[in-house]
Amino acid sequence: ERLVGSAVASSQLGLFANVSQRLTPEHRQAIDGLLQVAEGESRSSLFHFKQYPGKPTAADMVLHLSYCRELLAFNLHQVDWSQVRPEHIRGISELARRYDVWTLRRFKEKKYALVACLLLETQKTLLDQVVGMHDRYLIDMHRKSRNDLESQHRKVRRRLRKGVDTLIVAVELLLAHGDADEVFSRLSQSAIKEAVDDCSEFRRLEDFGYLEKLGNRYSHFRQYLPDFFRLPFEARPGAEPLLAAIQLVRRLDAGSTRELPSDAPCDFVPAGWRSAVILPEVPDRRLWELALAQAVRDGLRSGDLFLPQSRQHVSFSDMMYESGQWKQDRETAYAELGLPIGPHLIVERLLQEYETVTSATEPGLPSNPFARIQNGELHLRQSDRLEIPSEVAPLRRLIVSHLPQVRIEKLLEEVDVLCGFTRAFQPLQDYQPRSQPLYGALLAALLAQGTNLGMMAMGQSAEGIDTDMLQHVMQWYVRQDTLKAANKVMVDCHHQQPLSSVYGQAKCSSSDGQRFSTQASSLLASLCPRYFGYYDHAITVYTHVSDQYSVFSTQAISCGPREALYVLDGLLQN
């Protein structure tokens, strides 16, 4: 045991030394500054980087974008980290989060490695958060603009009914008598003019009202937009015009270009906006920038734009492979998959496969019970629902009546005896073990979070377990990586049970979200009128279930974006 402990300690010291030796004196000086608490303040600058954003507002966006600028100014992403494995950087960052600044200052050389890794991971997190805040801000801005338009629309519609009646009478008189004097003798000129103005206003609202409402919010939106456009965006091939538009906005904000040129890129402007944005002289800068902000959001979603220093919005190839790894594995991967390396050869292979499949499918279509061609279109039909025998219902009631009542903590213990999932909850390095047993506290902490009971309520209701023990377990044992590892143990155990194969082979997945109301201000919390009214916020818990009915992935996401955006995350990151 002493030999193993000595080897582990030596390895950890070597890892910290490997990280800290890559830092320049300027990096070390900046880290020392972050660990200082200014006079009159109770927290250090390092604490602000770790704060989770609340409801996205322009002021919060400005604040978090300033944090991003500070982190990017450290230039830690430009250090050569090729000899340090990414999982080691993430592990050191998780360890650094467990320490306060007073503890970090007591370390000598080790503190530079801890804080450097924490800043590297925090930089990725902050960039992802500001992209998410920008997305949420656009969603809220469009929602408020639609509400304002509908409110004004209702007012104009009430006046419009009277105005239309006035114009109908005027036209009928004109058609009957053919004399305008007869019209003005029955209707005053002011009434006719008021009716025309109401119709014109209604037509203007129909054509440009929504864009006007968006334009009215431009000044507030503009508070953070210049800082957002200064983020280090890069573009995939084919998205260069979008990057050129971002660079044009940077020049406009810097003053090197005074006015939006007439040949400014407008390919990203939505079709319904073009008549209002692309004017004869120069484009409307307000709507042009709003359209660009929306296009940047969509580009980050699709991968056309990316932020190399972020975590979720990096280049798609970097999400699949670590930098440099693909160059080593490329030829081997193509050989194992039996694929040609040249792009033209791949297209030819796909065309051949398509023709082979269609040629084999076409003869069987007339007798296919689930698909048919009608008027040149493919129509699919669901298979018939299986009939449930009459004996099944009483059998179900019999089984349910014989199932014993089990306390939830006992059930958790039984599952742990069966598969040992609690062994996946390993503490971080540098952990100082406590004298009291923590097995019961670990189960209680999982139940407190899983049932939304909370640490305080669980500490007051569980025998022999206090709130301090629960917080200690949550700080050192319960993390995202340990939760995923424990879930993997349970899914694998469930897959090995003989009964699981009756339901499926775990080769199919179904994903859907459940929405839960939330009171706290959060980046993920958003309005969800369909389920919670117009004033309550909610989040979505998005789960992937295999055809063996085991939940192999869970994500907490916002109700605003489409759930389809998160399908690949659950399928690939499990």
Side-chain angles (χ1 to χ4, degrees):
E1 185 178 353
R2 288 197 298 271
L3 286 173
V4 172
S6 175
V8 170
S10 176
S11 176
Q12 290 177 356
L13 289 175
L15 178 60
F16 287 125
N18 187 23
V19 173
S20 61
Q21 70 184 4
R22 301 175 185 279
L23 304 176
T24 63
E26 290 77 13
H27 289 142
R28 295 169 181 265
Q29 184 178 358
I31 289 173
D32 288 332
L34 286 176
L35 297 180
Q36 301 303 317
V37 179
E39 186 176 354
E41 298 288 338
S42 59
R43 302 184 185 276
S44 66
S45 300
L46 186 64
F47 172 81
H48 300 301
F49 295 141
K50 299 189 291 183
Q51 286 183 298
Y52 189 78
K55 181 181 178 182
T57 62
D60 284 340
M61 282 291 294
V62 171
L63 180 63
H64 282 80
L65 284 167
S66 68
Y67 293 157
C68 287
R69 286 199 306 273
E70 289 183 47
L71 287 174
L72 291 170
F74 289 138
N75 292 322
L76 285 171
H77 56 277
Q78 296 181 357
V79 176
D80 181 16
W81 299 107
S82 58
Q83 300 302 315
V84 184
R85 296 180 64 84
E87 57 266 28
H88 290 163
I89 293 178
R90 289 193 292 268
I92 296 175
S93 171
E94 286 290 335
L95 180 61
R97 286 183 177 277
R98 268 62 187 177
Y99 294 125
D100 52 38
V101 291
W102 291 273
T103 305
L104 288 171
R105 282 206 299 258
R106 289 203 296 268
F107 296 126
K108 294 183 180 179
E109 193 70 13
K110 182 178 176 180
K111 67 181 177 184
Y112 298 113
L114 287 168
V115 178
C117 292
L118 176 61
L119 294 180
L120 278 171
E121 291 299 305
T122 303
Q123 175 179 285
K124 297 178 182 180
T125 301
L126 271 174
L127 285 171
D128 289 341
Q129 287 174 349
V130 297
V131 170
M133 293 172 74
H134 173 68
D135 193 343
R136 279 286 315 283
Y137 191 92
L138 282 176
I139 292 174
D140 289 345
M141 186 175 69
H142 282 282
R143 179 183 58 81
K144 292 175 181 177
S145 298
R146 283 193 294 268
N147 290 343
D148 290 348
L149 175 62
E150 181 59 29
S151 177
Q152 187 175 356
H153 216 283
R154 285 195 297 269
K155 296 177 182 178
V156 173
R157 283 200 302 266
R158 286 195 289 267
R159 299 200 311 267
L160 181 66
R161 179 175 299 178
K162 180 181 177 182
V164 169
D165 292 340
T166 301
L167 292 179
I168 291 175
V169 172
V171 172
E172 288 176 346
L173 290 172
L174 188 61
L175 291 174
H177 301 280
D179 188 359
D181 294 336
E182 182 67 22
V183 175
F184 290 117
S185 65
R186 299 279 300 274
L187 298 171
S188 65
Q189 187 173 357
S190 60
I192 297 176
K193 184 178 183 304
E194 184 179 352
V196 172
D197 290 342
D198 290 339
C199 292
S200 300
E201 185 177 359
F202 183 80
R203 177 66 181 271
R204 181 181 56 80
L205 285 178
E206 286 286 310
D207 294 341
F208 304 107
Y210 182 55
L211 297 180
E212 286 180 2
K213 297 302 180 183
L214 283 176
N216 292 339
R217 299 183 181 279
Y218 172 77
S219 58
H220 198 250
F221 186 47
R222 178 74 183 167
Q223 293 179 21
Y224 79 85
L225 203 56
D227 292 336
F228 181 76
F229 282 143
R230 281 196 290 269
L231 292 177
F233 294 108
E234 293 187 17
R236 300 289 294 173
E240 291 84 356
L242 197 56
L243 194 60
I246 295 174
Q247 293 168 350
L248 174 59
V249 171
R250 291 172 181 170
R251 293 195 298 271
L252 288 168
D253 294 333
S256 57
T257 301
R258 294 187 176 275
E259 293 182 355
L260 191 65
S262 57
D263 59 347
C266 293
D267 295 340
F268 52 85
V269 178
W273 295 25
R274 290 181 176 272
S275 59
V277 175
I278 305 175
L279 302 176
E281 298 83 12
V282 295
D284 185 330
R285 179 175 174 179
R286 296 184 311 160
L287 296 178
W288 185 84
E289 285 195 13
L290 288 171
L292 178 58
Q294 190 166 291
V296 168
R297 177 200 63 184
D298 296 340
L300 290 168
R301 285 180 175 181
S302 64
D304 293 337
L305 287 181
F306 61 94
L307 292 165
Q309 285 79 45
S310 70
R311 180 178 292 107
Q312 295 180 351
H313 301 284
V314 295
S315 174
F316 183 76
S317 57
D318 290 340
M319 294 181 72
M320 299 294 100
Y321 270 85
E322 299 291 348
S323 179
Q325 184 182 357
W326 174 242
K327 294 180 180 179
Q328 301 174 5
D329 298 346
R330 185 171 184 264
E331 293 185 3
T332 304
Y334 274 93
E336 290 178 352
L337 295 172
L339 294 175
I341 294 182
H344 299 292
L345 297 176
I346 291 179
V347 173
E348 291 179 4
R349 166 82 63 91
L350 292 174
L351 288 174
Q352 291 175 0
E353 292 180 358
Y354 175 75
E355 292 175 358
T356 302
V357 172
T358 52
S359 300
T361 304
E362 185 178 8
L365 280 176
S367 59
N368 193 315
F370 304 112
R372 70 182 190 278
I373 300 295
Q374 183 178 351
N375 299 327
E377 295 182 353
L378 177 66
H379 294 268
L380 302 178
R381 185 172 68 86
Q382 282 186 329
S383 57
D384 294 333
R385 182 179 178 181
L386 294 176
E387 294 184 4
I388 300 178
S390 58
E391 297 85 357
V392 171
L395 179 60
R396 283 178 174 172
R397 291 194 295 269
L398 181 64
I399 293 174
V400 171
S401 64
H402 282 73
L403 289 176
Q405 296 291 329
V406 182
R407 291 181 61 87
I408 188 171
E409 67 273 14
K410 297 297 181 182
L411 179 61
L412 205 58
E413 289 181 8
E414 288 185 20
V415 174
D416 187 38
V417 171
L418 181 65
C419 63
F421 72 90
T422 56
R423 289 194 291 270
F425 291 97
Q426 296 295 324
L428 289 164
Q429 56 188 358
D430 285 6
Y431 172 69
Q432 301 296 327
R434 290 194 169 190
S435 57
Q436 65 266 37
L438 296 178
Y439 179 75
L442 174 61
L443 296 181
L446 294 176
L447 289 175
Q449 297 291 349
T451 60
N452 206 25
L453 186 62
M455 295 292 108
M456 292 297 295
M458 180 60 76
Q460 294 170 0
S461 59
E463 294 183 4
I465 299 173
D466 55 28
T467 306
D468 179 65
M469 295 170 62
L470 294 174
Q471 290 177 343
H472 176 80
V473 167
M474 289 298 301
Q475 182 178 11
W476 289 97
Y477 287 86
V478 182
R479 309 182 301 277
Q480 183 177 4
D481 56 337
T482 57
L483 285 168
K484 291 180 70 173
N487 191 67
K488 179 184 183 301
V489 172
M490 288 192 286
V491 171
D492 291 344
C493 180
H494 181 267
H495 176 67
Q496 294 167 3
Q497 301 301 313
L499 188 60
S500 297
S501 61
V502 174
Y503 296 99
Q505 301 301 317
K507 293 184 179 180
C508 296
S509 171
S510 175
S511 55
D512 198 6
Q514 291 178 290
R515 292 158 187 85
F516 298 90
S517 62
T518 178
Q519 300 299 322
S521 176
S522 170
L523 173 60
L524 293 181
S526 60
L527 292 171
C528 191
R530 182 176 180 181
Y531 299 101
F532 298 97
Y534 288 94
Y535 304 102
D536 294 335
H537 290 75
I539 64 169
T540 296
V541 177
Y542 191 59
T543 54
H544 285 71
V545 184
S546 75
D547 56 3
Q548 292 184 338
Y549 297 99
S550 59
V551 179
F552 63 87
S553 177
T554 303
Q555 305 170 71
I557 63 175
S558 172
C559 298
R562 293 182 60 198
E563 294 175 355
L565 298 171
Y566 301 91
V567 172
L568 282 179
D569 292 340
L571 293 176
L572 297 177
Q573 300 176 15
N574 71 83

